[in-house]
Structure formats: structure tokens, C-alpha cells
Amino acid sequence: MCLGIPGQIVEITDPERLMAMADVSGVRREVSVACVVTPDLQDLVGQWVLIHVGFAMSVIDAEEAEKTLEALRGLGEAQETLEAMAEGEAALEGTQ
């Protein structure tokens, strides 16, 4: 399964190489915008994109970005709960 994470383009860092800085939940990463290039790269600044392995794969709207980020947060919480349950189970097995 491929997982794309929403990020907002905040700056074009290298127009010749089609590279931009994206903010992903407060973490900035340089990504390639070759797949979403526009005639004027500056038009991408402020846009939300779906990022996968360092590439902006598609432009998405802010509402879709927020829904996706919320779902990813929920998955993180579910993972934490599963890990806590597994730890609790292991502790119980160790006391028997």
C-alpha cells in the first residue's frame, strides 16, 4: 500500500530542478514538484499537495488535506492503543 501525506508548499527552493519546500504538520521537507509543475512554479506556493517518497504527486484542496491529516492522526492513536495493549498482555504473561 502506498501512503501519501498532505503537505503545503511554502517555497520554491530550486526552480531548475523543480524542487520546493513543503510543510508537513510543522516539519519542513524538500520535495520534487515535477509531477505537479505549473507554467509559473510560484503558483504552487500555498497549495496543498499529496506527498509520497519525496514527490508531490497531486494538488489537493485544503479540506481534503485536513481530512487526510485527521485520519492519519487517528491511525497513530489506534497504533499507540494496540502497542499499549500488547505491552499489557506481555506484562500479564510475565507474571503468570
Side-chain angles (χ1 to χ4, degrees):
M1 177 177 92
C2 294
L3 180 65
I5 298 178
Q8 189 172 32
I9 302 297
V10 294
E11 173 187 3
I12 303 301
T13 56
D14 188 342
E16 290 79 30
R17 291 181 42 237
L18 301 174
M19 299 299 288
M21 188 64 62
D23 184 301
V24 179
S25 295
V27 177
R28 291 189 172 204
R29 303 268 182 203
E30 193 171 40
V31 298
S32 171
V33 291
C35 296
V36 294
V37 70
T38 61
D40 182 359
L41 282 179
Q42 290 300 320
D43 290 344
L44 289 174
V45 175
Q47 294 290 320
W48 284 91
V49 293
L50 202 54
I51 300 169
H52 178 65
V53 294
F55 288 87
M57 302 303 291
S58 63
V59 175
I60 59 176
D61 62 40
E63 183 179 343
E64 182 178 354
E66 182 55 39
K67 286 179 182 176
T68 303
L69 287 169
E70 188 61 36
L72 291 172
R73 285 185 204 106
L75 287 173
E77 290 174 12
Q79 183 63 33
E80 289 174 11
T81 300
L82 289 172
E83 288 172 3
M85 289 171 63
E87 289 173 9
E89 221 171 271
L92 284 176
E93 289 175 359
T95 61
Q96 295 177 355

